[in-house]
Amino acid sequence: MTAVLRAQGLGKRYRRRWALSECTLDIPAGRVVGLVGPNGAGKTTLLSLAAGLLTPTSGTIEVCGGRPASGLAQLAKVGFVAQDTPTYARLTVAEHLKLGARLSPGWDDALARDRIRRLGLPTDQRAGNLSGGQRAQLALTLAIAKRPELLILDEPVAALDPLARREFLQDLSDATAGQELSVVHSSHLVSDLERVCDYLIVLVASHVRVAGDVSQLLATHRLLTAPHIDPATLPAGLHVISAGHTDRQTTMVVRADSAIRDPAWTASPVSLEDLVLAYMSMSTPALEVHR
């Protein structure tokens, strides 16, 4: 697997607090990767390190074959859209495009202007007077028009209403189709990731709990309901990810290496949200990787 981002023992400390520690992670190139985890898992710190906005306290990180922000050529390889979709409030849309062209050696002006025109963004409007959805689209345009190798999205749609969020995600899918572009999209909204991502990474307390192709993960996991049983007594080939119990039955998310044949058990497909929550609730940081 060719990695677009590789972290080894990566850590970032603010005085006495570690925002990220001992993080080891490979993110495959050429995929749209969903990065998900609870608050405090280290997602934003990891992505800020990848974009070169922060420097590591410990460990190493390599992005697109080089050290983040190590020079103009390296900066040009990464597009970044943060949660607050940063734009310059006093600059117009047209001025943002001119700035992007001056700062980005690979700038695709035709792509940028076509997107702005298609989205109906008024070029003479100051960014501070745009709606949240429009600012997000402007920030995405600036990031994509750089023609980066890696596009990093750190919850850029978290504050948008459902319609604006759907439009942003649809536009992201359209913009990345047919391009040799890797995307890492961090979000708490699993339904958003399900729309656009084909690879999933669950990060908990700086550690990867699961990483793999979304379709394969869904195909190899099942929601298992059975009379009250001890998960430790399950046969080989069934690996319990999470389990819940009532007086009468046990419900488990399992990874199944083989078919589930016991008629006393009801096996059903697992949703991506169920899968994510199961791995987030694991009591041990064991890594499951499915290529």
Side-chain angles (χ1 to χ4, degrees):
M1 178 190 71
T2 301
V4 70
L5 186 155
R6 177 165 287 145
Q8 185 68 40
L10 185 65
K12 178 63 181 179
R13 183 177 64 190
Y14 298 95
R15 296 186 178 179
R16 296 183 179 181
R17 183 179 69 86
W18 286 88
L20 188 74
S21 65
E22 293 298 324
C23 179
T24 296
L25 171 67
D26 283 355
I27 293 182
R31 309 296 295 270
V32 181
V33 179
L35 178 65
V36 64
N39 290 332
K43 302 186 301 300
T44 291
T45 300
L46 170 64
L47 297 183
S48 296
L49 287 164
L53 300 177
L54 299 174
T55 55
T57 304
S58 61
T60 61
I61 182 169
E62 182 181 281
V63 175
C64 301
R67 182 167 55 85
S70 56
L72 292 178
Q74 185 66 27
L75 284 168
K77 294 179 180 180
V78 179
F80 181 59
V81 182
Q83 182 172 346
D84 56 356
T85 55
T87 52
Y88 296 96
R90 295 185 62 83
L91 294 186
T92 66
V93 171
E95 289 168 339
H96 276 88
L97 299 189
K98 289 180 181 178
L99 183 62
R102 293 186 63 181
L103 297 178
S104 305
W107 181 259
D108 189 332
D109 198 60
L111 182 149
R113 293 188 180 281
D114 179 67
R115 290 196 79 249
I116 293 299
R117 182 170 53 253
R118 182 166 47 83
L119 292 166
L121 295 183
T123 56
D124 59 347
Q125 186 86 288
R126 295 183 188 273
N129 295 328
L130 298 175
S131 69
Q134 289 174 320
R135 286 195 302 275
Q137 289 287 17
L138 175 58
L140 180 62
T141 298
L142 297 173
I144 291 175
K146 286 180 67 175
R147 288 294 189 182
E149 294 180 25
L150 173 63
L151 177 61
I152 297 174
L153 305 174
D154 186 15
E155 300 192 58
V157 298
L160 302 187
D161 63 68
L163 180 59
R165 194 164 67 240
R166 185 178 67 182
E167 291 174 345
F168 180 92
L169 294 171
Q170 181 59 54
D171 215 58
L172 172 64
S173 296
D174 294 342
T176 56
Q179 292 193 38
E180 294 182 0
L181 176 66
S182 303
V183 180
V184 178
H185 184 187
S186 171
S187 178
H188 287 298
L189 302 170
V190 178
S191 59
D192 286 351
L193 299 181
E194 201 164 12
R195 289 176 183 269
V196 296
C197 297
D198 56 29
Y199 195 94
L200 176 73
I201 296 173
V202 178
L203 189 71
V204 179
S206 302
H207 295 283
V208 177
R209 289 287 172 88
V210 68
D213 183 276
V214 169
S215 60
Q216 187 176 358
L217 288 172
L218 294 178
T220 54
H221 289 75
R222 288 290 181 269
L223 186 64
L224 191 64
T225 303
H228 188 75
I229 58 173
D230 182 354
T233 65
L234 290 175
L238 293 182
H239 306 273
V240 179
I241 309 303
S242 68
H245 306 278
T246 66
D247 292 339
R248 302 185 63 178
Q249 72 176 27
T250 297
T251 301
M252 295 175 286
V253 172
V254 300
R255 178 168 60 83
D257 296 335
S258 57
I260 300 172
R261 293 189 172 89
D262 193 318
W265 302 337
T266 300
S268 55
V270 66
S271 69
L272 189 62
E273 184 169 11
D274 286 337
L275 182 73
V276 167
L277 292 175
Y279 276 100
M280 283 173 58
S281 65
M282 283 179 65
S283 58
T284 59
L287 167 64
E288 299 281 353
V289 179
H290 302 260
R291 302 299 180 205

